[in-house]
Amino acid sequence: MQGLMLKLLNVDAAGERALRVVAYFDQLAANNPDLDSVVRATALIADCIAGVELRDRGLVVRFSPEGVEPAGTSAQSERAALLVEGEDRGSAWLERSGDERELDEFIVERFALTVVAVLARERRVSEVDLPAGFSDPALAQLLVNDRVAEAERSRAARLLGLPGSGMIQLVALETGPDDRLGDLSAQLHERWNRAFYVAELSRHLALLIVVGSEPLTWDVRLSGRAASGPVVDILDAPRSWSIARETLRFAGAGAVWPRTLSSDDVGVLRLLGQIDRAAALAHPDVERVALLAAAPNGDEAVTILDHYLHSESLRSAARAANFHHSSVQSRITRIGTKLGIDLKSAAGRERAALALLLWRLCQNP
């Protein structure tokens, strides 16, 4: 192949040089190359950096003519879209400093066609039958274990079927009592139209590995709860999983927290989840909330308090809790007395809200 490239450089006629480019990529495709091989071969014939981006995988592959991954960001001079069965999967490009060369546009075109042939030959993860999308829990736990070496995590990623490099997002999914994980996976697959893997870690907890650089949007109703960590590099999976687990504690935690959350939704409040559980439960404010919840009609009292603390007015709190406003007013007075907090003051309401949230987080260790 390198010999063919050298011949190409010594041919004068533009038409003949173009035919040699076609022959070069045809010979490359005939050897069933992988994506890295195609990018390396293109960088060699173009004598500049070549790159490919697959947006659905969050994957970018770049190589220099020397066959090494270049440092720095890409400066694309010629680009072509990667259309697989009419779907735009990403792009291929050359990075040349200075003026473009005569055949750059043609090389990029053949480069893109060869990449498309590689993608068409692969069985796309999102097209795998759903049952086959379930992954070995042991491998998934190895991938998210921050105490194992990167080499072991990399091996686990390959065995799970993840691309060699790219971006992923970890999701902690807690199923409801009547949920079937297969049905939930089908629902999420239809909603997101994204490639993801599922590993059932326990009876009610599953780990989802979502492939791609675009953060998930939670527009799905679940009877259980779910939380997503940040988008990270594959080898940084433990961080995304740890944050997803911390975020899950907030999901459905009272009136203001939805049952599906992104870690960005929680923000700085995630630090509350790092407070020692025993220390939180031992604080007098949290103790009084726990006593309020354990008393007769305690669930009702906690619900009224929650709506009162997070509503614009007493009347809106009463509507949200489905009580008459005068009844809510008298109950809030009694609840404030039991808590030893002045719920009419802004500082008192903030203190009560924090105690209530800490108590709820302790219920979701």
Side-chain angles (χ1 to χ4, degrees):
M1 201 172 294
Q2 293 183 15
L4 182 60
M5 184 202 71
L6 294 174
K7 290 180 181 178
L8 167 66
L9 297 177
N10 294 321
V11 174
D12 293 330
E16 287 190 43
R17 291 198 297 272
L19 287 175
R20 295 296 179 91
V21 171
V22 172
Y24 180 84
F25 281 102
D26 283 350
Q27 182 179 343
L28 177 64
N31 291 320
N32 293 326
D34 59 16
L35 189 60
D36 285 8
S37 299
V38 174
V39 179
R40 281 193 179 97
T42 302
L44 182 65
I45 193 173
D47 194 29
C48 67
I49 295 172
V52 163
E53 179 186 22
L54 301 179
R55 284 190 292 272
D56 57 344
R57 298 186 189 179
L59 177 64
V60 175
V61 179
R62 296 167 67 227
F63 283 108
S64 71
E66 292 75 33
V68 298
E69 297 183 19
T73 57
S74 66
Q76 301 163 20
S77 58
E78 194 69 48
R79 167 186 285 267
L82 301 174
L83 299 176
V84 182
E85 297 179 354
E87 179 186 357
D88 187 351
R89 297 279 302 278
S91 58
W93 65 84
L94 298 180
E95 303 173 27
R96 190 183 301 285
S97 57
D99 296 335
E100 296 179 16
R101 295 187 184 176
E102 180 185 20
L103 291 176
D104 278 0
E105 183 177 355
F106 190 68
I107 290 173
V108 167
E109 180 185 333
R110 301 304 302 184
F111 176 26
L113 289 174
T114 308
V115 171
V116 167
V118 171
L119 297 177
R121 194 172 67 240
E122 295 177 349
R123 191 180 185 201
R124 291 184 55 192
V125 175
S126 58
E127 292 169 356
V128 174
D129 293 337
L130 196 58
F134 282 78
S135 300
D136 183 347
L139 287 174
Q141 288 179 321
L142 192 61
L143 178 69
V144 300
N145 189 337
D146 61 357
R147 293 187 295 274
V148 303
E150 279 194 2
E152 287 298 308
R153 288 206 298 276
S154 179
R155 179 176 178 273
R158 290 197 303 273
L159 292 174
L160 285 167
L162 291 168
S165 60
M167 309 301 287
I168 57 173
Q169 188 172 15
L170 278 294
V171 175
L173 175 65
E174 184 182 87
T175 57
D178 299 323
D179 286 335
R180 293 184 53 180
L181 189 54
D183 294 338
L184 280 176
S185 299
Q187 179 187 356
L188 294 173
H189 188 273
E190 181 179 356
R191 177 70 67 173
W192 291 336
N193 193 27
R194 297 274 293 277
F196 66 87
Y197 299 78
V198 183
E200 191 169 12
L201 303 184
S202 65
R203 185 177 178 185
H204 292 299
L205 180 66
L207 178 155
L208 273 62
I209 307 168
V210 184
V211 180
S213 57
E214 190 70 24
L216 293 172
T217 55
W218 282 110
D219 54 355
V220 181
R221 287 183 176 272
L222 300 176
S223 59
R225 304 182 304 142
S228 53
V231 175
V232 296
D233 184 85
I234 286 175
L235 293 181
D236 202 18
R239 184 170 70 90
S240 185
W241 175 241
S242 174
I243 293 174
R245 289 297 306 274
E246 291 174 1
T247 304
L248 185 64
R249 298 179 65 189
F250 290 83
V256 297
W257 292 102
R259 302 188 71 82
T260 55
L261 281 175
S262 161
S263 56
D264 290 339
D265 298 328
V266 178
V268 69
L269 292 177
R270 193 163 51 83
L271 293 175
L272 295 177
Q274 299 174 17
I275 296 175
D276 179 73
R277 183 172 182 269
L281 288 172
H283 192 280
D285 285 355
V286 181
E287 275 189 331
R288 294 187 192 107
V289 171
L291 289 172
L292 178 69
N297 301 316
D299 289 346
E300 184 179 276
V302 169
T303 298
I304 290 173
L305 174 63
D306 202 354
H307 284 294
Y308 174 75
L309 293 172
H310 299 104
S311 297
E312 295 179 356
S313 66
L314 183 67
R315 289 184 179 274
S316 60
R319 284 194 300 270
N322 201 25
F323 282 89
H324 192 273
H325 73 275
S326 59
S327 175
V328 169
Q329 188 169 26
S330 62
R331 287 170 187 246
I332 284 297
T333 300
R334 292 196 297 273
I335 290 170
T337 300
K338 290 180 180 179
L339 294 180
I341 299 175
D342 179 11
L343 296 178
K344 293 181 181 179
S345 72
R349 289 192 296 273
E350 187 169 345
R351 175 182 159 192
L354 182 57
L356 179 59
L357 180 56
L358 280 172
W359 174 74
R360 290 197 187 278
L361 293 177
C362 290
Q363 311 310 302
N364 299 319

